[in-house]
Each structure stands twice: as C-alpha cells, then as structure tokens.
Amino acid sequence: MKVNASQKASLSRRTVLKATAAAGASSMVPGLQSAVWAQGSDKPEKEEVRIGFIPLTDCASVVMASVLGIDRKYGVKIIPTKEASWAGVRDKLVNGELDIAHVLYGLIYGVHLGISGPKKDMAVLMSLNNNGQAITLSKKLAEKGAVDGASLAKAMAADKRDYTFAQTFPTGTHAMWLYYWLASAGINPFKEAKVITVPPPQMVANMRVGNMDGFCVGEPWNHRAIMDGIGVTAVTTQEVWKDHPEKTLGTTADFVKKHPNTCRAVMAAILEAGKWIDAGLQNKLKMAETVADKAYVNTSVDAINQRILGRYQNGLGKTWDDPNHMKFFNDGAVNFPYLSDGMWFLTQHKRWGLVKEHPDYLGVARQINQIELYKQAAAAAKVSVPKDLMRSSKLIDGVVWDGKEPAKYADGFKIKNG
C-alpha cells in the first residue's frame, strides 16, 4: 500500500487491517476485525506519545519508529525521551510523566508487586528485543585469571576479600542475569558478594575508578569497556539463556485502559521498526549510526555496530561470530509477550527473596502481559503470532524453564536467598 506523506498521518489501523485481510495475511486472527473495533473509533486517543528510554542499543526500535516516520503511518507521533536511570523511568511511568517506556521486564513486574518502589498495576505491551547483554569483569580480575564463571569462583575462593558487582535495577533483567550466572558458578550473589545498582551509562566510568569487580548491563557498555581497556566479557546473556526476553514496551494498566488505540498504534509501529532493523546489514548499520547520536546513546558508532552484527570479542584476544546476537524482530518471535517470560522473573524474585511468598505466577502474568492487544497490533503490522502462550528454554545451568510448576521451579535451586 503506497501513501503520500499527508496521507500517512491520517492512515488508520482499520485501513491497515482491511488491507491485511484483503491480502490474506497469515497473521490475521479469525474474527479480529470486528473484535478490535467493537468499542468504537480506531483513532488513537492520544496522538503524541512520550516514550522514555535509557541510552542502550536496545532502545533502537523505539527510536527508529520515530526517526523513520513509521509511527505516522499508524496515526501517532512517538516522542523518544532520554532518561538517566531505570528508577527515573519507573517514577515517571507511575506518575504519568511518561506514557510508555523502553523498560526492563522485571521492573514492570516489580512495580506491579510493589517491590523496589511504589506499587501500581502495570502492563507489558510487547517484548522489544532478545539477547545482547553481557557480564563484564574488570581487567584487573582478568589479569588474575578470572575470565569466566568457573575461574571467577576459583579466584574469589583464593583471594578472600569483598567483591562488588553491579546491576542496573534490583528487580530488572540485568540483576537476574548476574545472579543466575554467579549462582551457576557456585557463587551466592547475596552472601558471597556485594551487589550495587548503577545506571547503564555510568557502568564503564565506575569500573574505571575501581568501584566494582564486574557488572551486567546492556550494550554498548560491555563493548565500550573492552574498547577502553578496562574490562573483559566473561559471558553474554544469550549464553545464560538463548533468546531470553530483555526490554519490554511497558506502561501502566491505567494507560492501557484509557488509551487502547494509542497502545495498538505504537506497538504496530515498533513492530514494523524492529522488522526493519532485522531486515539486513545496511539497516543495522543505519540504526547504529542513528542511535549512537548524542540525543540517544551518545557513544561512537563502532561501540555499537560490531555486536549488533554478531561480531564479538572478549577483550582477551578471542573473537567469534554469534548467531544469537541482539534481535529486535526475528520473524516476530522476539516480540510476543509470552506469559512464561514474565513468570520467570517472578520465580527469580522469589528465589532471591525479593518476594517472600509465592505469588500467583500465572495470574500475575495474565494481568500484566497484554496478549490480546498484542495480537491486534501484530495483525495491523502483518506479523504472525505464536499459538502457545508459553515457551520452553534450557538455561546455562541445564535447568529447563517452561512455565509449568513455577513454585517448584523457584524452590528447586540449590543456591538462593531467604
């Protein structure tokens, strides 16, 4: 469907849905058209949408939806809003200064449960990316032989001192990857180490002055530590969990209730932007150039463009091509808000004592993850959706997570807290 610039802004999702249906797209759910618009107009309730983001490579689909003008195709204008910390994103979502955000999966669940901040009903609209984070150890530790989980455990046992590791938010993804990896190496992150919270853009500077022995963060800050000669990559998060959920498009339950059409439009635009990024080499390089800008990540393009193409180095001479690098679309597999993904974070919150009692794992995930809204947005963007609401994965310690028996899973770890 070709439209001129003036038509783009007024193009409604109903038009897109009709075109999708006419094309016989495989992603169209039977009976969806009548279901989507049964409540009235498809016009976005709010046409200018403030979307907060942290300076990380995985904000790219939000940024590119705006920069490429894909948002206008769906009748909204995305205003990317750069934030300093995840705590700031949390507070601005809760008080309404931000409409939606590029945000940590576990942060949304934490706020919903009232841990690590105010309690408010929250919503995950979609996943923004899989993979692409890492755990960095200081060059000083690496020089003493600590370059992976096993050698770190050995070094910590041999040299008894206080070891400090950083994550980006107490209930967030980076905290959970760090804890899981340390525990897989036999290290209890709560009893054998000190864990601090540091905003992503400040990780490298803090390691440079010796404030930490290691950190878990998103790119480009792990690669930046290698470029600056202060850290080495001990493990990528895709080695901890292949195709793991990472950032989400998150908001409050109130915003979804009041602005369902706006949410659908934004989701469809970001789905299309993710598809554009993943479509090929030139698009990824264009994305890297765009998000490296001072307005977004504020770093050099070469800090972003290598790992986004799967070209990795560990800072110790090892290089490899990683097929499981950061992905924004992957034929739609990235973006579906699987219930089991959300439930996994709850199991880890219980494992580490962040929640004292077992929550209603499935019930909470059903409340937060906006499955039906996602299906509608996916239909508008001509994206297929999986049949199952759960998925199965084997993590770095060999334990399988499939969303079944979450309480048993959470209690089954040898190393835990509380």
Side-chain angles (χ1 to χ4, degrees), residues 104-106 108-110 112 121-127 245 247-253 256 267 334-346 361-375 388-391 401:
L104 300 163
Y105 218 123
I108 294 294
Y109 272 69
H112 192 88
D121 287 349
M122 301 297 287
V124 165
L125 300 176
M126 59 186 281
S127 287
K247 303 303 185 299
T248 70
L249 194 65
T251 186
T252 63
V256 176
M267 293 158 73
V334 167
N335 310 106
F336 188 75
Y338 289 97
L339 296 179
S340 55
D341 286 358
M343 291 165 66
W344 185 86
F345 288 101
L346 293 178
Y361 293 97
L362 182 57
V364 172
R366 286 189 184 280
Q367 279 185 310
I368 297 175
N369 289 24
Q370 303 296 304
I371 302 288
E372 291 309 311
L373 200 61
Y374 176 84
K375 288 179 178 178
D388 296 328
L389 304 183
M390 305 278 191
R391 60 176 178 146
W401 167 246

Side-chain angles (χ1 to χ4, degrees), residues 74-117:
Y74 294 96
V76 291
K77 180 181 180 182
I78 291 173
I79 304 172
T81 305
K82 188 173 181 176
E83 303 298 333
S85 70
W86 290 121
V89 170
R90 172 200 63 197
D91 294 344
K92 289 184 178 182
L93 273 179
V94 168
N95 68 26
E97 288 181 64
L98 291 173
D99 299 316
I100 300 173
H102 150 259
V103 66
L104 300 163
Y105 218 123
L107 184 153
I108 294 294
Y109 272 69
V111 172
H112 192 88
L113 295 178
I115 52 178
S116 295

Side-chain angles (χ1 to χ4, degrees), residues 243-309:
D243 292 336
H244 65 77
E246 184 49 45
K247 303 303 185 299
T248 70
L249 194 65
T251 186
T252 63
D254 285 343
F255 189 84
V256 176
K257 185 176 181 180
K258 293 175 184 175
H259 308 93
N261 296 342
T262 299
C263 289
R264 268 192 295 264
V266 168
M267 293 158 73
I270 292 174
L271 274 169
E272 193 169 320
K275 183 178 183 179
W276 180 88
I277 293 168
D278 277 8
L281 175 67
Q282 292 306 313
N283 289 5
K284 289 177 181 177
L285 292 176
K286 172 65 175 174
M287 176 274 283
E289 290 177 9
T290 302
V291 301
D293 188 78
K294 186 177 180 180
Y296 305 115
V297 179
N298 190 25
T299 192
S300 58
V301 176
D302 59 349
I304 296 176
N305 63 14
Q306 294 303 298
R307 289 193 171 185
I308 202 65
L309 299 174

Side-chain angles (χ1 to χ4, degrees), residues 369-413:
N369 289 24
Q370 303 296 304
I371 302 288
E372 291 309 311
L373 200 61
Y374 176 84
K375 288 179 178 178
Q376 295 161 10
K382 305 180 185 178
V383 173
S384 61
V385 298
K387 294 178 182 178
D388 296 328
L389 304 183
M390 305 278 191
R391 60 176 178 146
S392 178
S393 304
K394 183 185 287 186
L395 276 66
I396 193 171
D397 54 2
V399 178
V400 173
W401 167 246
D402 57 11
K404 299 172 184 175
E405 300 185 281
K408 182 179 178 181
Y409 175 85
D411 288 340
F413 293 99

Side-chain angles (χ1 to χ4, degrees), residues 37-55:
W37 313 125
Q39 300 305 312
S41 172
D42 61 325
K43 180 179 170 62
E45 302 85 358
K46 186 171 187 176
E47 295 180 9
E48 285 199 356
V49 188
R50 292 175 59 84
I51 302 186
F53 72 92
I54 292 289

Side-chain angles (χ1 to χ4, degrees), residues 109-362:
Y109 272 69
V111 172
H112 192 88
L113 295 178
I115 52 178
S116 295
K119 186 179 190 303
K120 191 173 182 70
D121 287 349
M122 301 297 287
V124 165
L125 300 176
M126 59 186 281
S127 287
L128 292 176
N129 68 294
N130 289 166
N131 308 326
Q133 326 294 296
I135 295 173
T136 293
L137 295 178
S138 72
K139 203 66 175 288
K140 291 179 181 178
L141 264 184
E143 288 168 355
K144 294 180 180 179
V147 297
D148 57 19
S151 55
L152 174 64
K154 187 176 180 180
M156 289 176 68
D159 181 11
K160 297 286 188 181
R161 63 172 177 83
D162 291 334
Y163 287 81
T164 300
F165 298 93
Q167 39 78 12
T168 64
F169 191 80
T171 62
T173 53
H174 303 117
M176 298 307 117
W177 311 141
L178 177 65
Y179 299 162
Y180 204 100
W181 177 72
L182 288 170
S184 73
I187 302 165
N188 188 316
F190 284 82
K191 296 177 181 177
E192 299 175 67
K194 178 184 178 184
V195 180
I196 61 175
T197 301
V198 175
Q202 297 175 25
M203 285 293 191
V204 175
N206 273 275
M207 181 169 277
R208 183 178 289 111
V209 298
N211 286 347
M212 62 184 74
D213 295 288
F215 60 69
C216 183
V217 73
E219 296 302 340
W221 306 118
N222 299 287
H223 190 62
R224 183 82 253 173
I226 291 173
M227 292 174 68
D228 292 357
I230 63 166
V232 303
T233 294
V235 68
T236 65
T237 52
Q238 51 266 33
E239 293 175 87
V240 176
W241 177 357
K242 178 186 171 184
D243 292 336
H244 65 77
E246 184 49 45
K247 303 303 185 299
T248 70
L249 194 65
T251 186
T252 63
D254 285 343
F255 189 84
V256 176
K257 185 176 181 180
K258 293 175 184 175
H259 308 93
N261 296 342
T262 299
C263 289
R264 268 192 295 264
V266 168
M267 293 158 73
I270 292 174
L271 274 169
E272 193 169 320
K275 183 178 183 179
W276 180 88
I277 293 168
D278 277 8
L281 175 67
Q282 292 306 313
N283 289 5
K284 289 177 181 177
L285 292 176
K286 172 65 175 174
M287 176 274 283
E289 290 177 9
T290 302
V291 301
D293 188 78
K294 186 177 180 180
Y296 305 115
V297 179
N298 190 25
T299 192
S300 58
V301 176
D302 59 349
I304 296 176
N305 63 14
Q306 294 303 298
R307 289 193 171 185
I308 202 65
L309 299 174
R311 297 170 186 166
Y312 276 74
Q313 56 174 293
N314 70 348
L316 295 166
K318 178 185 175 183
T319 62
W320 71 99
D321 289 328
D322 191 339
N324 302 312
H325 55 80
M326 187 181 292
K327 295 172 184 175
F328 293 89
F329 184 68
N330 195 19
D331 295 327
V334 167
N335 310 106
F336 188 75
Y338 289 97
L339 296 179
S340 55
D341 286 358
M343 291 165 66
W344 185 86
F345 288 101
L346 293 178
T347 68
Q348 299 307 296
H349 294 164
K350 176 62 174 69
R351 176 186 183 181
W352 301 118
L354 300 173
V355 292
K356 303 306 178 187
E357 305 294 333
H358 287 292
D360 176 3
Y361 293 97
L362 182 57

